[in-house]
Amino acid sequence: AKMPLKKLSLILGYECNNNCRFCYCADKRYDKKIPPKTTKEAKEEILMGKKRGSDFVDFLGGEPTIRKDIPELISYAKETGYGTISITTNGRMLYYRDFAENLIKSGLNHVIFSVHGPNARIHDYLTRSPGSFKQLTGGMKNVKKIKPDIYICTNTTITRPNYKYLPQ
């Protein structure tokens, strides 16, 4: 049997383009004492993770796709030899096809999308970001079109407004 992958979960910072009602790190978003990691710091952690035997890196936040250096960090993870290169994302930036293509071209081969409702009414209510469901679902379609074999999974935070809709 294959050994389970050792995963590096790399929190890059807490800024986000959503404003979720249930956010686990909302208190950290604007805390000047916890600035986002610099590109250099992130690269050092990518390298350290590899040296510790990780073959899977997941970029998290906050929202990793709003960082200017995310293509560079993905490329660096690929050059460093990671087999699985993932982002945990609200998917909104991947709605922009050029952006999605750039990340995939850089080495992204795994995406964990945050889906908080079966439709725009519930999802957008929870994210407090009108249009976020449309962008999320458009982003999911884009990455599938660009790279049909990309590994996609989803995260859903179970809340009072959405739990009845989990089967959907």
Side-chain angles (χ1 to χ4, degrees):
K2 237 178 89 144
M3 283 296 291
L5 293 176
K6 194 183 240 187
K7 179 174 168 181
L8 170 66
S9 294
L10 183 49
I11 296 174
L12 296 171
Y14 295 104
E15 296 100 334
C16 188
N17 53 352
N18 276 352
N19 185 24
C20 296
R21 294 171 186 276
F22 52 79
C23 183
Y24 83 99
C25 64
D27 57 318
K28 298 182 174 102
R29 280 177 65 177
Y30 306 106
D31 188 336
K32 295 291 172 251
K33 293 189 288 293
I34 344 179
K37 288 195 168 84
T38 64
T39 304
K40 184 175 181 289
E41 287 167 338
K43 286 181 172 180
E44 282 167 4
E45 287 199 32
I46 291 166
L47 193 56
M48 278 186 336
K50 194 70 194 148
K51 286 180 177 159
R52 284 194 309 263
S54 293
D55 189 47
F56 184 151
V57 60
D58 182 24
F59 295 105
L60 311 135
E63 177 52 49
T65 63
I66 61 174
R67 287 179 63 108
K68 301 273 181 278
D69 64 354
I70 195 66
E72 184 185 344
L73 294 177
I74 290 168
S75 290
Y76 183 73
K78 189 179 179 179
E79 287 158 27
T80 308
Y82 282 85
T84 303
I85 302 167
S86 181
I87 49 173
T88 295
T89 179
N90 61 35
R92 294 178 62 191
M93 289 295 295
L94 297 167
Y95 177 77
Y96 302 98
R97 185 154 178 137
D98 293 353
F99 182 82
E101 273 172 1
N102 188 14
L103 295 196
I104 290 166
K105 196 177 72 224
S106 300
L108 184 69
N109 57 20
H110 187 285
V111 186
I112 303 162
F113 285 101
S114 300
V115 182
H116 302 301
N119 56 44
R121 185 178 62 82
I122 296 164
H123 181 90
D124 293 8
Y125 168 79
L126 288 168
T127 63
R128 290 189 284 209
S129 302
S132 60
F133 184 78
K134 180 185 178 206
Q135 289 179 317
L136 159 69
T137 51
M140 292 172 103
K141 287 177 184 137
N142 272 342
V143 298
K144 269 316 252 188
K145 259 185 227 135
I146 299 160
K147 186 173 169 55
D149 67 335
I150 197 161
Y151 187 89
I152 289 180
C153 58
T154 62
N155 281 339
T156 300
T157 301
I158 300 170
T159 60
R160 221 175 262 116
N162 75 8
Y163 77 93
K164 291 182 179 116
Y165 301 94
L166 287 173
Q168 286 159 257

